[in-house]
Amino acid sequence: MWWLFGRTNGSGFSSSSTAEEVTQGIDGNNLTAIVTGATSGIGVETARVLAMRGVHVIMGVRNLVTAKDVKEGILKEIPSAKLDYMELDLSSMASVRKFASNFISSGLPLNILINNAGIFAAPFTLSEDNIELQFATNHIGHFLLTNLLLDTMKKTAHETKKQGRVVNVSSIVHLLPRGIRFDQINDPSSYHMWFTYGQSKLANVLHANELARRFKEEGVDITANSLHPGAVITNIFRHTNILSGLINTVGRLVFKNVQQGAATTCYVALHPQVKEISGHYFQDCNVSTENSQARNPELAKKLWDFSLNLIK
């Protein structure tokens, strides 16, 4: 219910704004976007609203059957929607590489990359690449995906003269950890579901900030930003039985719905107000403030090198 009292700031939008409202009147025709995790929660709404604005949306999904149902549902509402889906498991580097290869082979341009997929509070598990599952899925998978698609994004920006945008969906939980525990990523004895999730979300912010720095240094017309979508009722809480039950009973009174939860993502991905803004953290469709660790350029560079080493 707190979002009912959201105040508008510089953008004119607030915590109560919806994805449709913040993209009203925007023409997304001739734009192509990839949205990861587009079969549930804010990912579905992000894909739907971008498609509503004319964007050709490629949904990166784990479950092709669910993706087919999502696509059919959106097309039923928006017959003109341009939607495709491709298999993508962010916890698997092999799957990420296959997705990127298939996308590049399609010859499609890429204007917008929305790194949205994520898992929260899963029991301690190692991915097939032997990386703690939350860090693997929420950060490393998106880091690899972004790197593999950068040449396509740069080519698209150059040929179309339209600024590209990389959008990392982080979380306010990035405030919890004091940094990245590089030497304890896979340590089960130090695993804590909240702090480990927060670490992966801090990595999302650092990744976007370092991308922004590199784009500026290279003179590339692509921006990179991160965001907190708000506390949203989605199935991301499925691994936490107690918290999931609490959300189901009282969450609808205090949490955002998915229409509001997808607003900041769609705003950062499409709105003209965000043109030329790069290396920033957004909340409620306005520039916000990340923690001091997230603004640490040396930590961002260290994470970049650490991540590069993991994906080799």
Side-chain angles (χ1 to χ4, degrees):
M1 190 174 293
W2 56 269
W3 48 261
L4 291 174
F5 306 101
R7 296 179 179 179
T8 59
N9 290 302
S11 69
F13 302 112
S14 72
S15 57
S16 61
S17 300
T18 66
E20 286 193 26
E21 289 170 350
V22 304
T23 58
Q24 185 65 43
I26 295 176
D27 183 4
N29 283 289
N30 300 316
L31 296 178
T32 301
I34 288 175
V35 181
T36 68
T39 55
S40 64
I42 64 174
V44 173
E45 181 67 359
T46 298
R48 185 187 74 84
V49 172
L50 292 186
M52 176 182 285
R53 303 306 175 213
V55 179
H56 180 188
V57 179
I58 312 298
M59 303 185 296
V61 302
R62 286 189 303 168
N63 189 317
L64 296 177
V65 174
T66 303
K68 181 175 181 291
D69 292 340
V70 169
K71 177 180 178 179
E72 289 176 352
I74 294 175
L75 285 173
K76 186 175 180 179
E77 178 193 353
I78 312 164
S80 62
K82 297 185 287 287
L83 283 167
D84 290 293
Y85 54 85
M86 296 167 55
E87 188 172 11
L88 173 63
D89 180 352
L90 272 303
S91 72
S92 162
M93 291 192 207
S95 177
V96 173
R97 293 183 188 280
K98 182 179 179 181
F99 174 93
S101 177
N102 289 341
F103 180 83
I104 292 168
S105 296
S106 74
L108 288 169
L110 182 58
N111 306 92
I112 304 165
L113 173 59
I114 300 178
N115 292 320
N116 165 79
I119 60 170
F120 168 72
F124 180 83
T125 311
L126 294 179
S127 72
E128 66 179 47
D129 302 296
N130 291 314
I131 303 170
E132 186 279 317
L133 193 60
Q134 290 194 85
F135 195 76
T137 304
N138 298 350
H139 169 61
I140 292 298
H142 283 127
F143 178 86
L144 174 59
L145 178 66
T146 304
N147 274 20
L148 293 173
L149 295 174
L150 279 182
D151 284 345
T152 301
M153 291 198 74
K154 291 175 182 178
K155 179 182 178 184
T156 301
H158 176 72
E159 292 180 350
T160 65
K161 308 303 180 187
K162 293 180 179 179
Q163 190 172 76
R165 299 187 185 187
V166 177
V167 182
N168 282 359
V169 179
S170 180
S171 167
I172 198 170
V173 184
H174 85 273
L175 298 170
L176 284 179
R178 296 179 179 178
I180 305 293
R181 298 180 299 183
F182 294 102
D183 59 344
Q184 294 180 299
I185 293 294
N186 291 345
D187 181 8
S189 66
S190 63
Y191 182 80
H192 184 284
M193 64 183 186
W194 279 94
F195 283 92
T196 304
Y197 176 72
Q199 177 177 250
S200 72
K201 296 289 98 179
L202 173 59
N204 293 155
V205 182
L206 290 165
H207 176 215
N209 291 351
E210 179 63 7
L211 271 174
R213 186 191 69 79
R214 288 169 179 263
F215 289 151
K216 182 178 181 180
E217 188 177 79
E218 295 176 29
V220 176
D221 193 19
I222 303 174
T223 63
N225 292 291
S226 57
L227 64 93
H228 169 51
V232 189
I233 304 172
T234 72
N235 70 351
I236 196 171
F237 299 105
R238 62 189 177 277
H239 294 294
T240 54
N241 293 332
I242 296 176
L243 186 56
S244 180
L246 179 64
I247 289 167
N248 286 332
T249 55
V250 302
R252 298 186 188 282
L253 297 176
V254 297
F255 281 45
K256 288 184 178 182
N257 57 41
V258 292
Q259 292 79 16
Q260 295 162 332
T264 304
T265 303
C266 291
Y267 174 78
V268 176
L270 273 189
H271 207 285
Q273 290 178 350
V274 187
K275 184 175 173 61
E276 307 301 340
I277 297 178
S278 192
H280 285 274
Y281 172 76
F282 287 76
Q283 182 174 345
D284 297 333
C285 301
N286 285 276
V287 172
S288 187
T289 303
E290 65 272 57
N291 71 8
S292 59
Q293 289 297 317
R295 295 191 299 274
N296 184 334
E298 294 306 315
L299 182 59
K301 292 176 187 176
K302 184 176 181 180
L303 176 64
W304 184 280
D305 292 339
F306 179 79
S307 303
L308 274 181
N309 187 56
L310 284 180
I311 66 175
K312 286 180 180 178

